[in-house]
C-alpha cells in the first residue's frame, strides 16, 4: 500500500476530463496493474472484454481514483449493467 501512497503524492492530474472530473495521468498504469492482479469479471468470471470500475466514482472523490480498494473488474456488459445501472452518466 505504500506504493499507492507514493503514486498519489507524485501523480499530477491531467487536463483530460471525463464525467466532469480530472483524470490522473497515472490511471493507465493503475488500471493495467489491477487487471493483471484481477483478470476475471467479479460477476461472471469471464476473462474477455474486461473493464476496471470505480466503486466510488472518482468524480465524487478523486482521492480514491487510484486506490486498489476502490476498484473492481467487470466485463463490459456487467460494467454497464451493475457498474452504471444501464446509464454511463450515472
Amino acid at each position: 500500500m505504500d506504493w499507492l501512497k507514493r503514486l498519489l503524492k507524485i501523480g499530477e492530474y491531467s487536463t483530460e476530463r471525463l464525467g466532469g472530473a480530472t483524470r490522473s495521468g497515472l490511471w493507465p498504469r493503475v488500471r493495467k496493474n489491477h487487471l493483471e492482479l484481477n483478470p476475471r469479471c467479479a460477476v461472471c468470471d469471464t476473462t474477455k472484454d474486461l473493464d476496471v470500475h470505480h466503486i466510488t466514482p472518482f468524480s465524487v472523490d478523486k482521492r480514491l481514483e487510484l486506490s486498489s480498494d476502490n476498484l473492481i473488474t467487470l466485463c463490459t456488459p456487467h460494467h454497464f449493467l451493475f457498474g452504471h445501472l444501464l446509464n454511463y452518466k450515472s
Side-chain angles (χ1 to χ4, degrees), residues 13-73:
Y13 280 81
S14 70
T15 57
E16 180 182 345
R17 296 280 197 174
L18 183 61
T22 306
R23 177 68 89 177
S24 169
L26 296 173
W27 170 243
R29 185 179 350 162
V30 171
R31 181 186 184 282
K32 181 182 178 209
N33 289 342
H34 178 81
L35 286 173
E36 287 173 358
L37 294 171
N38 303 279
R40 297 184 171 279
C41 175
V43 176
C44 68
D45 212 35
T46 189
T47 59
K48 297 182 186 219
D49 299 319
L50 299 176
D51 290 322
V52 177
H53 178 70
H54 290 89
I55 298 164
T56 298
F58 73 92
S59 60
V60 172
D61 188 347
K62 70 180 179 180
R63 294 172 301 161
L64 298 177
E65 179 186 5
L66 305 176
S67 172
S68 61
D69 294 335
N70 189 45
L71 303 176
I72 187 170
T73 302

